[in-house]
């Protein structure tokens, strides 16, 4: 997968509805990420909101 732009998580985690992650790759063999792009998890914004993604509320996991 080549990423040359920005893949950005929602600034408001409630926009993800029932999803646990904003990026998910399943059942991959030999996955290669390349390019000059970035994955922006909106960390500072979500952290200020007390988001579960930073606290790891679901089964002790941290989600991105």
């Amino acid at each position: 997968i080549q990423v040359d732009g920005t893949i950005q998580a929602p600034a408001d985690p409630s926009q993800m509805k029932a999803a646990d992650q904003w990026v998910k790759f399943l059942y991959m063999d030999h996955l290669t990420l390349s390019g000059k792009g970035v994955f922006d998890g909106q960390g500072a914004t979500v952290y200020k909101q007390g988001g579960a993604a930073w606290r790891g509320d679901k089964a002790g996991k941290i989600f991105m």
Side-chain angles (χ1 to χ4, degrees):
I1 296 174
Q2 181 171 334
V3 178
D4 287 322
T6 299
I7 297 177
Q8 189 172 56
D12 179 2
S14 68
Q15 291 178 348
M16 293 188 343
K17 301 189 186 330
D20 288 335
Q21 303 92 5
W22 61 276
V23 174
K24 183 185 245 184
F25 300 103
L26 296 172
Y27 310 108
M28 294 282 163
D29 288 326
H30 310 288
L31 173 68
T32 300
L33 293 174
S34 63
K36 296 181 181 183
V38 297
F39 286 82
D40 179 1
Q42 299 274 2
T45 302
V46 173
Y47 185 75
K48 287 178 187 175
Q49 296 172 14
W54 280 86
R55 290 193 313 266
D57 287 348
K58 297 193 179 196
K61 297 178 183 174
I62 297 177
F63 299 102
M64 293 193 289

